[in-house]
Amino acid sequence: MTAKGIPALRHMLDRFPGVPVVLDHLARPDLSDGPPHGRAASLLDLAAYPQGKLKLTSRTLDLVAMGASNAAALLTALSRAGRILWGSNLPAAEGSLPNLVAHAKAAMAGLYTDDRALILGGTARRLYPALTEG
């Protein structure tokens, strides 16, 4: 979905508070205005819904780079413990997995170590517990 669908999503999140939802590509927000990301306010307001998770991809990081924003500012604004998870978006993403991981890690360089760890695996393990089963 895109950011235009967030009002309908809020209704669903209110109605089903126990159902986790992952927004692919952060719902493709308008990030062109940069911090404090007023054009992405509907996305930022989803912080009120702990079951709302945000999948960060290279596509989103590329969108950030095209506007007045930067990855550090956006990720700091979105950093709610356990809400963001990174996804490679393979096979649709261009580039190799190591390059996609490096791109994501570079974008997260300004975050706290614990936040990076959540984004790069911790959130996904919480959302999909089968990932931790051996």
Side-chain angles (χ1 to χ4, degrees):
M1 67 171 256
T2 65
K4 291 179 183 177
I6 290 177
L9 174 64
R10 290 177 67 112
H11 175 71
M12 187 186 79
L13 294 172
D14 285 332
R15 189 166 177 206
F16 303 102
V19 177
V21 174
V22 179
L23 296 181
D24 203 14
H25 307 291
L26 306 182
R28 297 173 179 89
D30 180 351
L31 303 170
S32 61
D33 60 343
H37 302 99
R39 292 183 183 155
S42 63
L43 175 68
L44 297 173
D45 290 346
L46 288 177
Y49 297 92
Q51 77 271 38
K53 308 299 181 202
L54 307 170
K55 183 178 148 198
L56 176 68
T57 63
S58 292
R59 178 181 179 156
T60 309
L61 294 173
D62 292 343
L63 285 174
V64 171
M66 293 187 333
S69 188
N70 62 66
L74 176 65
L75 293 175
T76 299
L78 293 173
S79 280
R80 306 285 192 273
R83 291 193 63 235
I84 304 171
L85 58 150
W86 177 79
S88 68
N89 210 39
L90 285 171
E94 293 184 23
S96 67
L97 183 57
N99 287 343
L100 294 170
V101 171
H103 185 212
K105 286 182 174 181
M108 295 178 223
L111 297 179
Y112 291 110
T113 302
D114 291 347
D115 289 335
R116 285 193 310 268
L118 282 170
I119 294 169
L120 290 171
T123 302
R125 284 190 292 278
R126 288 180 186 168
L127 190 59
Y128 306 107
L131 294 174
T132 59
E133 296 173 4

